[in-house]
């Protein structure tokens, strides 16, 4: 998916052949609908977020509204909940993306083997990919239900405690939420990495098998280097996605218990919708955007994306 | 992508250099060596090495789905682990009384319209990107990549203000527009990758035969884009069917709710009625699971086709 996008830029320079049957306006006409939609509903709102971040803007206190300078950002530094939600966001992204990558890679390698029933197995293990965050929540609410849920049967077997939902237990809510997100998120990695695994030339494996290389060595020296860029891109996309993902935590825990599972976007949504602090909410949004952008660039640099592996 | 060529280039000489020696010497043994790994799977795995982890993962995937079906089709008050005697009471109740029939129609409308809109706009833009060089192309690409860092949840407030200004609040169109815009960048990049994989010569041959550029596209490129269009279209449908936050924010009348919004309220009230929650989940799951079952074959193939040459 995203492996294609960077190469577009690479392709531009190398592609010399130009042949257009119409004037040079055609490409602009072709991208115009996309550009207009994105300006109207992405760029403009984003610009207004930056604008409001410098304003006092609260619908319930119109008398206070006006230019705020950097007040909102100053308020942010002293806001314990901001730091807490930022910290939880980091923890959430690291845990969900890390486990999703490990399990997804394992799953992709598994269903890349040839065995009877492979097509059906693939379809079944990939199926949660299509399921929404809210639906995931409703399913896992049923599983975590203290009286009739699956956890009760586990408790009967001596795993866990009777009579409490992990979602209400401050000690268990984080792993419970991560497990829920894994159920839905692992297939994403498995699908993307499987697509990339299939593009590895077979003769590489055959040559190294003849050579007597062990399976682990083949994985380490052929599979992993080949997957490197796909892994970097999919983890980055997924990390941004998990950071911004609100559906699941909003419905599963709603940030609770005691704001323990409040991510930064959840906190912002709360500030904007419940507290009506649009100005401060916008400042938080702007901060989140730059933090995300900075971390992404840093990640691409540190991981030497697209670099030579000789 | 450059990735595949570099791996072959770097890995190639090192791997093919030594095996040529080994391949000549034990010539008689070779067929045996070749045959053995094939029977045991591509990477030389034994059946139990596949089926034990795969079985575990299948259980992790399928038990939650089963749990939902169990609650949805089992009479209230029973606690058996089989949904027997089978009842449709819960399903009929949520469909007729809780309004899921209406939510379903709304979601279908949002999903289908934004699927068509996303695909058409992305197809035009993707063709422009794939087949033309123009000023600002790199900037356009960069902008589309940057949109991936915009947290959708954090755009709620400015988007709400925009829709209020144009009078679309509490209309399904607000959700349709928002979903389309947020789906566009990835769809566009993906489709342009697919279009670049269609040999230019096919189109040029059609022009020689006297086709206009547009007709040439319809006759030669479009039929070959089928897997790509299926992938992008179904991504768009599944995404807007599943997405929750925009519908939650922009729609206030209950008869305008989409399925995820309706379901989220059912989760809130689920303490007493788990059967309704599960039945609502079934309503939410059926369309995406059907689509997933139809497209899952294309999913991996489509992605590898888009990424390999990319």
């Amino acid at each position: 998916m995203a492996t294609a996008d960077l190469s577009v830029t690479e392709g531009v320079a190398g592609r010399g052949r130009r042949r257009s049957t119409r004037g040079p306006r055609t490409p602009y006409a072709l991208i115009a609908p996309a550009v207009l939609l994105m300006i109207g509903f992405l760029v403009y709102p984003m610009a207004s977020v930056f604008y409001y971040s410098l304003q006092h803007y609260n619908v319930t206190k119109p008398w206070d509204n006006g230019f705020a300078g950097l007040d909102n950002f100053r308020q942010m530094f002293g806001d314990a909940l901001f730091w807490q939600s930022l910290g939880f966001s980091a923890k959430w992204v690291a845990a969900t993306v890390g486990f999703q990558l490990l399990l997804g890679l394992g799953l992709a390698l598994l269903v890349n083997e040839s065995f009877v029933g492979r097509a059906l197995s693939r379809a079944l293990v990939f199926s949660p990919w299509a399921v929404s965050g809210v639906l995931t929540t409703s399913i896992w609410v049923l599983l975590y239900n203290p009286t009739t849920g699956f956890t009760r049967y586990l408790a009967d077997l001596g795993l866990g405690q009777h009579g409490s939902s992990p979602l209400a237990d401050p000690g268990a809510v984080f792993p419970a939420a991560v497990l829920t997100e894994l159920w839905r998120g692992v297939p994403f990695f498995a699908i993307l990495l499987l697509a990339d695994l299939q593009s590895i030339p077979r003769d590489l494996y055959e040559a190294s098998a003849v050579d007597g290389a062990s399976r682990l060595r083949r994985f380490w020296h052929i599979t992993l280097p080949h997957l490197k860029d796909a892994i970097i891109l999919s983890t980055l996309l997924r990390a941004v996605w998990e950071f911004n993902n609100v559906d699941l935590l909003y419905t599963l825990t709603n940030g609770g218990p005691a704001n323990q599972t409040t991510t930064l976007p959840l906190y912002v949504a709360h500030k904007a919708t419940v507290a009506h602090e649009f100005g401060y909410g916008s400042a938080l949004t702007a901060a989140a955007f730059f933090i995300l952008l900075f971390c992404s660039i840093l990640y691409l640099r540190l991981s030497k994306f697209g670099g030579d592996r000789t | 992508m450059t990735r595949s060529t570099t791996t072959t280039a770097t890995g190639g000489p090192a791997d093919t250099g030594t095996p040529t020696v080994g391949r000549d010497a034990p010539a008689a043994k070779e067929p045996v060596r070749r045959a053995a790994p094939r029977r045991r799977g591509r990477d030389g795995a034994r059946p139990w090495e596949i089926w034990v982890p795969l079985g575990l993962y299948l259980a992790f995937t399928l038990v939650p789905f089963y749990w939902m079906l169990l609650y949805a089709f089992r009479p209230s008050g029973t606690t058996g682990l089989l949904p027997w005697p089978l009842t449709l009471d819960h399903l009929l109740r949520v469909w007729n009384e809780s309004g899921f029939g209406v939510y379903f129609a709304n979601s279908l409308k949002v999903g289908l319209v934004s699927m068509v809109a996303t695909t058409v706009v992305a197809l035009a833009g993707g063709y422009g990107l794939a087949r033309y060089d123009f000023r600002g192309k790199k900037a356009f690409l960069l902008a589309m990549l940057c949109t991936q860092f915009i947290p959708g949840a954090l755009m709620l407030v400015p988007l709400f203000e925009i829709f209020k200004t144009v009078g679309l609040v509490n209309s399904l169109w607000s959700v349709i527009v928002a979903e389309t815009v947020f789906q566009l960048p990835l769809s566009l990049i993906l489709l342009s990758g697919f279009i670049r994989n269609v040999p230019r010569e096919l189109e040029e041959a059609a022009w020689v035969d006297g086709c206009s550029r547009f007709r040439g596209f319809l006759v030669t490129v479009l039929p070959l884009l089928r897997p790509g269009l299926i992938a992008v279209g179904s991504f768009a449908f599944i995404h807007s069917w599943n997405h929750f936050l925009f519908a939650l924010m922009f729609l206030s009348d209950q008869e305008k709710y989409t399925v995820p919004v309706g379901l989220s309220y059912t989760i809130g009230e689920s303490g007493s009625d788990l059967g309704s929650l599960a039945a609502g989940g079934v309503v939410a799951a059926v369309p995406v699971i059907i689509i997933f079952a139809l497209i899952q074959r294309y999913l991996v193939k489509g992605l590898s086709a888009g990424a390999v040459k990319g």
Side-chain angles (χ1 to χ4, degrees):
Chain A
M1 152 164 29
T3 22
D5 50 33
L6 290 178
S7 56
V8 178
T9 20
E10 291 162 13
V12 179
R15 202 158 278 175
R17 31 184 180 162
R18 258 336 70 223
R19 180 192 196 273
S20 61
T21 46
R22 276 179 229 161
R25 290 206 197 97
T26 323
Y28 296 107
L30 284 170
I31 63 165
V35 170
L36 289 179
L37 275 172
M38 279 161 53
I39 287 177
F41 298 98
L42 276 173
V43 179
Y44 170 72
M46 201 61 215
S48 75
V49 162
F50 291 130
Y51 171 76
Y52 282 130
S53 69
L54 302 175
Q55 300 278 324
H56 287 298
Y57 184 38
N58 186 334
V59 210
T60 58
K61 295 182 206 154
W63 55 89
D64 273 345
N65 292 352
F67 184 69
L70 294 175
D71 281 4
N72 287 325
F73 291 94
R74 239 170 264 139
Q75 183 186 345
M76 203 184 299
F77 278 100
D79 182 353
L81 256 181
F82 164 72
W83 294 108
Q84 187 190 325
S85 57
L86 187 64
F88 179 74
S89 285
K91 193 171 137 191
W92 171 254
V93 169
T96 52
V97 175
F99 284 117
Q100 281 174 31
L101 174 65
L102 284 180
L103 286 172
L105 180 60
L107 199 57
L109 289 170
L110 262 182
V111 296
N112 194 35
E113 298 282 324
S114 37
F115 56 92
V116 183
R118 181 172 74 169
L120 182 67
S121 308
R122 271 189 197 174
L124 289 177
V125 292
F126 290 167
S127 57
W129 169 81
V131 162
S132 72
V134 183
L135 179 53
T136 308
T137 295
S138 26
I139 291 176
W140 285 80
V141 162
L142 296 173
L143 287 163
Y144 287 145
N145 182 284
T147 50
T148 56
F150 192 71
T151 43
R152 204 209 93 178
Y153 293 91
L154 288 181
D156 283 347
L157 295 172
L159 300 159
Q161 298 168 325
H162 276 285
S164 73
S165 166
L167 297 175
D169 174 359
V173 66
F174 180 68
V178 169
L179 188 70
T180 308
E181 182 60 18
L182 283 184
W183 180 75
R184 175 174 66 138
V186 167
F188 168 87
F189 277 99
I191 292 168
L192 273 179
L193 294 180
L194 179 63
D196 213 51
L197 272 178
Q198 292 181 340
S199 70
I200 302 180
R202 274 264 198 121
D203 32 330
L204 279 183
Y205 286 111
E206 279 165 17
S208 71
V210 173
D211 213 11
S214 72
R215 225 192 307 165
L216 196 66
R217 277 182 64 89
R218 270 177 282 158
F219 173 74
W220 199 250
H221 291 289
I222 301 176
T223 314
L224 218 49
H226 190 91
L227 291 182
K228 186 189 156 220
D229 281 357
I231 289 176
I232 293 171
L233 259 184
S234 54
T235 45
L236 178 64
L237 275 179
R238 201 56 173 183
V240 172
W241 191 88
E242 286 291 357
F243 181 88
N244 291 332
N245 170 24
V246 172
D247 296 16
L248 186 99
L249 286 175
Y250 182 91
T251 49
L252 190 69
T253 65
N254 198 9
N259 286 320
Q260 275 230 335
T261 57
T262 300
T263 59
L264 191 52
L266 261 183
Y267 182 51
V268 176
H270 176 83
K271 276 283 168 212
T273 55
V274 183
H276 296 288
E277 294 182 34
F278 284 6
Y280 186 52
S282 298
L284 290 170
T285 305
F289 178 77
F290 284 119
I291 291 171
L292 218 49
L293 202 60
F294 174 77
C295 291
S296 307
I297 292 170
L298 193 70
Y299 179 68
L300 285 179
R301 278 282 149 80
L302 288 180
S303 61
K304 302 199 176 70
F305 175 73
D308 212 359
R309 282 175 307 277
T310 40
Chain B
M1 207 124 212
T2 42
R3 155 168 45 85
S4 40
T5 49
T6 45
T7 19
T8 357
T10 54
D15 285 330
T16 45
T18 32
T20 39
V21 184
R23 207 174 276 166
D24 292 338
K29 271 186 183 174
E30 205 189 31
V32 189
R33 273 195 189 181
R34 278 271 162 98
R38 189 147 300 171
R39 213 182 324 114
R40 283 165 46 185
R42 191 174 298 175
D43 221 5
R46 282 165 239 275
W48 69 265
E49 287 175 317
I50 292 171
W51 282 107
V52 170
L54 192 62
L56 285 174
Y57 199 83
L58 273 171
F60 175 57
T61 306
L62 297 180
V63 165
F65 277 127
Y66 179 73
W67 215 250
M68 174 179 77
L69 294 173
L70 182 66
Y71 277 75
F73 293 108
R74 152 180 104 175
S76 328
T78 57
T79 53
L81 285 179
L82 283 174
W84 201 259
L86 206 66
T87 174
L88 292 177
D89 286 357
H90 300 301
L91 213 54
L92 291 172
R93 192 173 60 248
V94 296
W95 187 269
N96 295 319
E97 289 167 35
S98 317
F100 271 85
V102 180
Y103 308 156
F104 190 89
N106 291 339
S107 275
L108 211 56
K109 189 177 162 194
V110 170
L112 289 176
V113 177
S114 54
M115 173 182 85
V116 172
T118 306
T119 314
V120 170
V121 176
L123 190 61
Y127 188 81
L129 270 189
R131 289 295 198 244
Y132 293 91
D133 274 338
F134 53 90
R135 257 165 182 277
K137 183 166 166 173
K138 281 197 173 182
F140 178 61
L141 267 168
L142 194 67
M144 282 198 306
L145 282 182
C146 280
T147 60
Q148 297 305 302
F149 299 102
I150 298 182
L154 311 183
M155 303 294 277
L156 282 174
V157 172
L159 278 176
F160 186 82
E161 305 256 302
I162 292 174
F163 288 126
K164 205 166 73 184
T165 319
V166 292
L168 283 181
V169 163
N170 202 20
S171 150
L172 288 180
W173 286 103
S174 60
V175 184
I176 290 171
V177 170
E179 301 298 358
T180 303
V181 169
F182 272 81
Q183 270 299 97
L184 253 184
L186 267 187
S187 308
L188 207 157
I189 288 169
L190 202 57
L191 272 182
S192 88
F194 279 108
I195 293 171
R196 260 180 303 112
N197 284 348
V198 175
R200 201 178 267 263
E201 291 72 28
L202 287 179
E203 263 184 288
E204 283 166 348
W207 301 338
V208 172
D209 289 345
C211 286
S212 67
R213 182 131 203 173
F214 182 62
R215 225 188 110 66
F217 169 78
L218 286 186
V219 175
T220 60
V221 183
L222 203 59
L224 292 174
L225 283 183
R226 218 178 73 128
L229 288 173
I230 290 176
V232 167
S234 46
F235 286 170
F237 180 85
I238 290 176
H239 172 91
S240 24
W241 178 273
N242 284 341
H243 199 243
F244 162 62
L245 219 55
F246 290 151
L248 179 76
M249 265 298 268
F250 301 153
L251 307 171
S252 47
D253 286 347
Q254 205 183 335
E255 65 262 31
K256 298 264 174 60
Y257 283 178
T258 57
V259 173
V261 179
L263 195 58
S264 75
Y265 285 109
T266 318
I267 295 171
E269 298 151 5
S270 68
S272 49
D273 191 0
L274 294 173
S276 289
L277 177 61
V282 171
V283 173
V286 164
V288 283
I289 292 295
I290 289 176
I291 292 177
F292 176 80
L294 294 175
I295 63 147
Q296 50 91 14
R297 284 182 308 125
Y298 291 93
L299 209 61
V300 175
K301 274 185 207 151
L303 282 174
S304 42
V308 169
K309 267 193 169 178

